[in-house]
Amino acid sequence: MRTLTRTALIFSYLFLAMTVGALIWRGGLGAGAGVAATFGALGVLGVIHLYLTGHMRERALRAEVAQIRDAHRLLADALETTQGALTELAQAIESGALNRTDELTGEVRMLEGLIQQMSASIDERLSTAAPAPDTFEGRRQAQSHALLRTVHDALTEGRVDLYLQPVVTLPQRRTVFYESFTRLRDSTDRVMMPAEYLSVAEGEGLVPAIDNLLLFRCAQIVRRLARQDRKVGVFCNVALSSLGDETFFPQFLHFLSENRDLNQSLIFELGQATFDARGAVEARNMAKLADLGFRFSIDKVQTLDLDFADLQRSDVRFVKVAADLLIEQLLDLDGGSPLPSLRDIQAADFAALTRRYGIEVIAEKCESERQIVDILELDVSMGQGHLFGEPRAIKEQVLAETDPPADFLRSTLRSAEQRRRVG
């Protein structure tokens, strides 16, 4: 449109200039005067055009400057409003954080009181225990009492640590989950493995209390990671005795129902033998957790010939298999079938088979790059093991933020004490 207008103006100026020249020529002033008049008229018209164009551009520029000033003023007002809102939000967050800190402080004090009560009960038991004769049974009983004393001191003095180990995607090796572990430390700060103290904890009915502690700390870790915009989940081990405990499980379920927003980030893990040994009560309680949207994982797998339909019905979404076991039962077959119950399934089809049931295989205990080559050949998409990262203890200041409220543990400890007295 601008080109057309410019062309029309040029022809108009030429027409007017030639008209002036023709009038001069017809007036008897001669052809030379006519030509000079034509060019003179063109020059005047050109000057007028430039003046009008510059004036119009100036007006347009002033209008744009005015619009920019208005936009700047609106932006300044919006920034001022946003700054005020951010200030109010920061004050609200700070106030909420202080309130939460006060709540945690009170909860930790309550927990300390409960542990002192439990400690008194354990002290009473140890002090009233009759000295055993110098026999094998006597030495075993003395060792059991010494271990009970160590567990008692670890609980009393807060020597309970949370460890996390990454679970990564393959072959990218990007962390998508963590597995959580609870570890006790003795008086020399030596880390005690669960195999050392679980027998005593089970005998004293303390496993649900340990599961409580692990659950709360896992929940807090998940929320802390979410604040850092790290969308990762945590595998949280749970004992069969905890799932079947009539006192513990209702409190466990109540806590999770109030925190069901964590159902995509907390995955409860059981060993294969534990899963197979579950009774009607445990299966029903697992279904209640599944109704809240929580998922399950099976580890310590001894055979790949699993009942995948049963796993799917039980909302099991992950199966952890040791890397060596995967290679042994899927690759080192010498032409045999990997699954006796499904003889038409080939080794390379195993991961695809589990995915048809909504189950993802995780290769755990990965120790070497050679294992990863074989595992990738099996189309396994996730791995865990020292090759990707050893379990690391959470820092003390972070651990202090994850202590659970004592009222959640009160019934568990009371139940443990009742079972001890009955026993």
Side-chain angles (χ1 to χ4, degrees), residues 323-385:
D324 285 342
L325 183 64
L326 278 172
I327 296 170
E328 175 187 343
Q329 296 197 9
L330 292 180
L331 293 180
D332 301 339
L333 295 175
D334 295 330
S337 173
L339 304 178
S341 61
L342 298 171
R343 296 190 177 277
D344 57 334
I345 296 296
Q346 300 300 313
D349 300 329
F350 179 74
L353 170 67
T354 64
R355 292 188 184 108
R356 288 203 293 270
Y357 289 92
I359 301 170
E360 198 67 45
V361 177
I362 300 175
E364 63 176 351
K365 299 180 182 177
C366 296
E367 307 292 341
S368 69
E369 294 292 346
R370 178 59 192 169
Q371 289 176 321
I372 304 305
V373 173
D374 293 335
I375 288 169
L376 289 175
E377 184 179 340
L378 295 171
D379 194 28
V380 173
S381 62
M382 285 186 281
Q384 176 184 353

Side-chain angles (χ1 to χ4, degrees), residues 13-81:
Y13 295 155
L14 286 173
F15 177 76
L16 288 174
M18 292 175 67
T19 300
V20 171
L23 290 175
I24 295 297
W25 176 64
R26 291 180 65 116
L29 296 178
V35 173
T38 299
F39 282 105
L42 278 175
V44 172
L45 291 173
V47 171
I48 295 173
H49 175 78
L50 291 175
Y51 172 77
L52 293 176
T53 303
H55 182 67
M56 292 174 62
R57 286 178 179 175
E58 184 179 355
R59 289 182 58 185
L61 182 59
R62 288 178 180 175
E64 290 181 3
V65 170
Q67 291 178 354
I68 292 174
R69 285 176 177 172
D70 292 339
H72 181 269
R73 186 163 48 251
L74 292 174
L75 180 61
D77 293 341
L79 286 175
E80 184 178 356
T81 302

Side-chain angles (χ1 to χ4, degrees), residues 238-253:
V238 61
L240 188 65
S241 58
S242 297
L243 291 174
D245 192 298
E246 297 179 356
T247 302
F248 161 78
F249 188 79
Q251 300 290 340
F252 188 85
L253 186 66

Side-chain angles (χ1 to χ4, degrees), residues 184-336:
L184 303 183
R185 285 178 286 117
D186 63 16
S187 58
T188 65
D189 272 345
R190 182 185 67 87
V191 176
M192 302 170 60
M193 300 303 290
E196 295 183 61
Y197 59 81
L198 274 184
S199 59
V200 170
E202 290 172 352
E204 295 296 321
L206 297 176
V207 171
I210 295 174
D211 282 348
N212 271 334
L213 185 62
L214 182 61
L215 170 65
F216 271 95
R217 287 180 169 170
C218 287
Q220 295 298 325
I221 289 298
V222 166
R223 295 199 183 281
R224 188 181 183 92
L225 292 172
R227 290 199 299 268
Q228 300 172 359
D229 198 26
R230 298 179 61 187
K231 297 180 180 180
V232 298
V234 175
F235 288 94
C236 183
N237 286 273
V238 61
L240 188 65
S241 58
S242 297
L243 291 174
D245 192 298
E246 297 179 356
T247 302
F248 161 78
F249 188 79
Q251 300 290 340
F252 188 85
L253 186 66
H254 177 70
F255 171 77
L256 291 174
S257 65
E258 292 184 339
N259 293 272
R260 65 175 63 193
D261 60 306
L262 302 177
N263 58 14
Q264 297 303 306
S265 301
L266 276 180
I267 303 100
F268 295 108
E269 191 162 86
L270 303 89
Q272 182 185 14
T274 300
F275 178 79
D276 293 340
R278 73 195 190 284
V281 174
E282 292 83 3
R284 185 167 58 250
N285 287 340
M286 288 179 65
K288 292 178 180 178
L289 294 177
D291 289 340
L292 296 177
F294 290 93
R295 302 167 292 170
F296 296 93
S297 171
I298 302 298
D299 68 349
K300 300 181 179 68
V301 172
Q302 299 300 316
T303 176
L304 301 183
D305 198 10
L306 303 165
D307 187 344
F308 297 107
D310 184 37
L311 294 176
Q312 185 182 42
R313 286 192 300 269
S314 301
D315 288 276
V316 174
R317 294 294 175 262
F318 302 93
V319 171
K320 291 185 177 181
V321 186
D324 285 342
L325 183 64
L326 278 172
I327 296 170
E328 175 187 343
Q329 296 197 9
L330 292 180
L331 293 180
D332 301 339
L333 295 175
D334 295 330

Side-chain angles (χ1 to χ4, degrees), residues 100-101 103-105 107-108 216-221 223-225 227-228 394-405:
R100 179 60 181 159
T101 300
E103 292 175 4
L104 284 175
T105 301
E107 291 166 356
V108 171
F216 271 95
R217 287 180 169 170
C218 287
Q220 295 298 325
I221 289 298
R223 295 199 183 281
R224 188 181 183 92
L225 292 172
R227 290 199 299 268
Q228 300 172 359
I394 297 299
K395 296 180 180 179
E396 291 185 6
Q397 58 267 32
V398 177
L399 199 62
E401 298 177 7
T402 62
D403 282 323

